[in-house]
Amino acid sequence: MRSLSPGKIAVFLTVLSLALGTISMRAQFPPALNLMPVPAKAQTGSGFLRVDETFRLSFAGYQEPRLEHAGQRFLEQLHRQTALVFASRETVDPAKATLLVTTEHESKTVQELGEDESYTLDITSSGAKLHAANPLGVLRGLQTFLQLVTITPEGFGAPVVSIQDQPRFSWRGLMIDSGRHFMPIAVLEHNLDGMEAVKLNVFHWHLSENQGFRVESQKYPKLHELGSDGLYYTQTEIRGLIAYARDRGIRVVPEFDMPGHSTAWFVGHPELASGAGPYQIERKWGVFDPAMDPTNEKTYKFLNEFISEMAKLFPDAFFHIGGDEVNGKEWDANPTIQEFKRAHGIKDNNGLQAYFSQRVQELVVKHGKTPIGWDEILVPGVPKSIVIQSWRGADSLAAAAKQGYRGILSNGYYVDLGWSAARHYAVDPLGGAAANLTPEEQKLVLGGEACMWSEYVDPENIDSRIWPRTAAIAERLWSSADVRDPASMYARLPGISQRLEWVGLNHRTYQRRMIERMAGAASPEELAALQLVVEALEPVKDYTREGIGAEPTSQTPLNRVADAVFPESEEARLFSGKVDEYFASSCKDAALASELRAQLVKWAGNDARLRPLAERSFLVQEASPASSALSQAAEVALAALDRITLGVPLTPDLRKQQLDAQNALELQAHKVQLTIPLLPAFQKVIDAATAGAACTISK
Amino acid sequence: MRSLSPGKIAVFLTVLSLALGTISMRAQFPPALNLMPVPAKAQTGSGFLRVDETFRLSFAGYQEPRLEHAGQRFLEQLHRQTALVFASRETVDPAKATLLVTTEHESKTVQELGEDESYTLDITSSGAKLHAANPLGVLRGLQTFLQLVTITPEGFGAPVVSIQDQPRFSWRGLMIDSGRHFMPIAVLEHNLDGMEAVKLNVFHWHLSENQGFRVESQKYPKLHELGSDGLYYTQTEIRGLIAYARDRGIRVVPEFDMPGHSTAWFVGHPELASGAGPYQIERKWGVFDPAMDPTNEKTYKFLNEFISEMAKLFPDAFFHIGGDEVNGKEWDANPTIQEFKRAHGIKDNNGLQAYFSQRVQELVVKHGKTPIGWDEILVPGVPKSIVIQSWRGADSLAAAAKQGYRGILSNGYYVDLGWSAARHYAVDPLGGAAANLTPEEQKLVLGGEACMWSEYVDPENIDSRIWPRTAAIAERLWSSADVRDPASMYARLPGISQRLEWVGLNHRTYQRRMIERMAGAASPEELAALQLVVEALEPVKDYTREGIGAEPTSQTPLNRVADAVFPESEEARLFSGKVDEYFASSCKDAALASELRAQLVKWAGNDARLRPLAERSFLVQEASPASSALSQAAEVALAALDRITLGVPLTPDLRKQQLDAQNALELQAHKVQLTIPLLPAFQKVIDAATAGAACTISK
């Protein structure tokens, strides 16, 4: 994983123009083209195409119901964006269209990897033309048009521009884990809408886990009846979701994780397991012992029937068999399995898993699908047709490519880790060792997938853990490799985030409800104090949350401050940007100093304002250590800022003492699963206040 | 209409206890019982019933599917409120229930006016019991329980309390006009959920208007096919909504407005009209000429068939025939109609309408329904069985009751007029002349209905025009007549408003989207400036909007600042409360003065901060006169406040000059359909700053 160089991130100073060679270099606000992902080529002109109630959409060339649906959705979204009432929704005469869409021919009956998604979009002040080889390109181009529509001094409009666009990678996915926390169909639909908006094209649906088996099986109904607490998708719902995805140009790849991560299968079918059973649905998180018995022919008979059923239900050419994280304990404890290993000369559990994996892959191929699995399935001798999904990293992916295997990158795109958008954005499927692959080998790197593992998300906050950061990942996977400036990305992200709520996601609005739940009956001042602390903090990163506090389970309510805070605090990012700006002025910008001061004063005094609420609410009380740490840290930074403005430097000893204090405060916040993303900015202020540091000298 | 005395409205100083005789008088925050509507009797105890993941609901006594649905919805809502994961949703052993619900017997197959809705709810620290005669009382009691659940220092809980409750009025309605702006089923469903939450029991569905005929008629399909722009409810959808309402203890009363307000009928059926036609769907607002021909027997044949069909579709015993606002122009212009009047000795158009009304009422009765209509249908000789819905006022209702007619009040409950919650709250169906009715006559006043006419609402902002103010109306109709303290109401309204969003309404969250639409790509500072002005302003009141600006139509986008502002500004109400508090301290509370000052400084400087955005957005630009007026008015109030704190009084001349300036600024805001609700508070400051006024003397 390459870390982002901590350069100055000037918000709203768009450097989008760097990515669009033909656009002038002039930094401007608002961005010239507020698009995410950035298109391959764009030539801007001057002026706008007016978008008013006379707007008409028309389709020429190849026609199909999916295009009609796309047109309806387009007009609905355009209405949401503008509130304009379009006089007629009927198909109109192409000659009178404001936006004329021309499609050359159909796409595949079942959407395939690598289909043409290119399009051209030409907008002049009198009309717009979208042209694509097939409906997939049309879907992409319509989203580009919608993103371009904005408010102007004279009404709504789309800027004059000429775009030629196609994706860099053909596999651009989002994985949602419906196993650990069940996600209702409506939640998935909104997320498919979000995927369409940022041109993602694969929904990887993680459907079985230790904590739940989520698909109705008509052949083996005990799988979902006993393995899901009643929380599963019917086959009708699944077909509906696949059709919903197809309408949006998105493939649906199902994952049934085997031979581990499979406790929920064994509740109804203990005969598949390597242990003695009986089994219960797992309530805790982690890697567990239960695993399928790879030595029992009945396992393969069962899986043959099961895969046969699922291969018909899910039309996509790929079938994900998981394969990750088997700890081997049940295998070691089972004498029959040990005997099997000896008899077949299998020297360790990796070998046993390879044997299982090979058998399952044969079944998948038999039922007409291409197997895909996590890194672990790549063992010597496995057929070159399989696809590796790498949770281990780009180097692992590069190694696979060197052996001739196709792969997709997920390491670096785990959105459950709470990383910043910039950190995900810096990860490239062709980065690391992959950068040294030959062009032919690089073609084997198909793309990547954002992964939403669901230990700490429920239907209420999952959108906020996926979006808007996944839009940055989507840009990494669609746009040219040289579109990589985080300042430009952050300049455009708020606009995309806003539009994603228009399609039905709740990644911003969820927070107020959670704050109000934690507050109960509260005064406006108390609510404001709680909001201030929630907006300034972030959840602890990576999987550190696992080790903090009482052991969480799938029944633990996700109603705490750690569940309510954004993974990436906008407030903290904006403040940090202003601190950098202040230092760039050599601490001479007095207005900025006073703005920073006012913000620090607010944070410093906030814990006291929150106290009465903490006394009434156990959830606010629980977060008190973090609230108090934030206020104390702000207090220290405030004193340092005052020293800068007064020209009274800190001694190095005091500096060290204060930085130590900041570190201690961060640990205090960690105790309640929170982190203070403002600390690096606060530390910069302390550094700058120190005798000998740049700003004090320059005064 | 009785106007609210402008006494001090101390927010969060609950005087709820006044209403609940058995509760101590101690004013407290948060309110002892955060309930709306206030129950008839409540005896509070000490402590809480813990609500955690072991919470179990159980039903005893009479059982039916509606109770099961209610139980499921209850648990879903409890989950939303707490995020608790309840281990099992199955029916549990009554002995183990946390909340045991006992129902004596069934309610009517079709919900009837005046059915028993009473319940008792006893909550102790170890369990709760809800008891009701029939499922309607259970529905009401479950909502009371949900409102009681709150966060405490030890977890979620419901306070120990003993409640005996029943409604004051049997007809507690909300009317939604689906004619002028079509409202999708989902919008109506959310509103039914909101109605259930505040114990309203009649959904009056205004289904036909000049601008649209919204019901599928299988007998006369041209009605909806040609009269609705394709925006109508299918009979399947209607049956679904009626079932949805019944599940929530809500009757559905359909309204087909006749003989006026009926242009949309005539697009497909010009033969019903008094004019020559052809007719088009009306796009403008107002009272129009087209009216049914009351002299043509074919009209009654048609209506007989139509009412027959609709009487079967809508099971409620009441059938609303409208009857309002016929201007008579088409009648006057039609020689055949004139001849009919002469031949039948009908002396004027009122008489003609009475004739029509009588004929239609006969048809309604023939098809087994009781007619209800607006004031106009009350003419001499009309049967005593009809119900009058009064848009004219309580006096009109009282006059009807004196003649023996039943009535419901809507005058004073028109939520489209933009009044404050307090103003609606002060209106009582037994107020005005009705207060002098005999007890027997008073029984004829069945209750009231909030009316949401839809000229200036669309699916995006309608919730905000209905809620939370309709919760105050619901309390007026449910709670005892002496529950009438606006301070108590305002202390509880924010909590209810928050819970109404939990059931799916968007009356608060819509605003941010509208702000962002108006802003386009904007910096956080610009967005904050726009939000500040949106939160401080209100739409012009009553129907004054009609006369301002270009003539609006049903195609006019509702995307302006006037559409985005809340009907009642919480910011303005809170500031006004603080001004009153400051004067109550004889201007001695320096902390409060500085708080007021800071707020005024913000408003005063806001227009300048908004300027860059106004230059980029036509919608922000349009509101500039109001934004500028707000800033100027705040500037003047700021100067006055500074005079108070400095002890330098204003001269009477200056006072007059400044008050005149404020009035001029209000007129400036009116030009863009906005009003500045802060002005009365600003004027108080100016008054207090004047030489001789209380505060300057007290210094």
Side-chain angles (χ1 to χ4, degrees), chain B residues 385-403:
Chain B
S385 60
I386 65 157
V387 174
I388 307 298
Q389 178 164 19
S390 183
W391 62 271
R392 288 184 180 153
D395 291 355
S396 167
L397 204 60
K402 281 209 172 297
Q403 298 173 56

Side-chain angles (χ1 to χ4, degrees), chain A residues 486-501:
Chain A
S488 162
M489 183 271 288
Y490 278 125
R492 291 171 289 121
L493 198 62
I496 295 304
S497 186
Q498 162 185 333
R499 280 150 193 268
L500 288 169
E501 282 226 328

Side-chain angles (χ1 to χ4, degrees), chain A residues 12 29 80-83 151-153 155 498 508 512 516-517 523-525 557 559 578 615-618, chain B residues 12 29 80-83 151-153 155 498 508 512 516-517 523-525 557 559 578 615-618:
Chain A
F12 290 116
F29 173 78
R80 269 186 230 119
Q81 290 183 205
T82 61
I151 202 159
T152 81
Q498 162 185 333
R508 305 183 313 172
R512 180 166 169 188
E516 290 179 339
R517 173 191 295 142
S523 69
E525 292 75 16
N559 55 13
K578 280 181 191 158
E615 281 166 21
R616 298 202 306 276
S617 159
F618 77 104
Chain B
F12 290 117
F29 174 78
R80 268 184 231 121
Q81 289 184 206
T82 61
I151 202 158
T152 81
Q498 164 185 331
R508 305 182 312 172
R512 180 165 169 189
E516 291 179 338
R517 173 192 294 142
S523 70
E525 292 76 15
N559 56 12
K578 280 183 191 157
E615 281 167 20
R616 298 201 306 274
S617 159
F618 76 104

Side-chain angles (χ1 to χ4, degrees), chain B residues 640 643-644 646-652 654 686 688-693 696-697:
Chain B
R643 281 179 178 263
I644 295 174
L646 295 170
V648 184
L650 272 176
T651 64
L654 269 172
I686 294 166
T690 307
T696 41
I697 287 170

Side-chain angles (χ1 to χ4, degrees), chain A residues 165-229:
Chain A
D165 200 11
Q166 76 279 329
R168 177 177 170 218
F169 291 107
S170 57
W171 189 303
R172 306 179 309 280
L174 168 65
M175 189 217 73
I176 291 182
D177 171 9
S178 286
R180 290 175 173 83
H181 272 102
F182 180 75
M183 296 296 155
I185 289 286
V187 169
L188 301 179
E189 286 179 349
H190 293 324
N191 276 283
L192 288 167
D193 289 329
M195 290 174 69
E196 182 190 25
V198 297
K199 302 183 171 61
L200 291 174
N201 68 354
V202 180
F203 172 50
H204 169 178
W205 201 356
H206 187 80
L207 284 162
S208 68
E209 256 308 332
N210 297 307
Q211 294 81 6
F213 187 96
R214 305 300 184 190
V215 173
E216 177 194 17
S217 169
Q218 289 165 357
K219 283 191 184 152
Y220 298 111
K222 281 193 283 185
L223 283 172
H224 65 274
E225 285 170 4
L226 300 180
S228 75
D229 298 303

Side-chain angles (χ1 to χ4, degrees), chain A residues 368-396:
Chain A
K369 305 289 184 181
T370 301
I372 169 169
W374 300 99
D375 288 294
E376 288 92 330
I377 72 161
L378 179 57
V379 290
V382 73
K384 297 286 193 239
S385 59
I386 67 158
V387 174
I388 307 297
Q389 178 165 19
S390 182
W391 62 271
R392 288 184 179 152
D395 291 356
S396 166

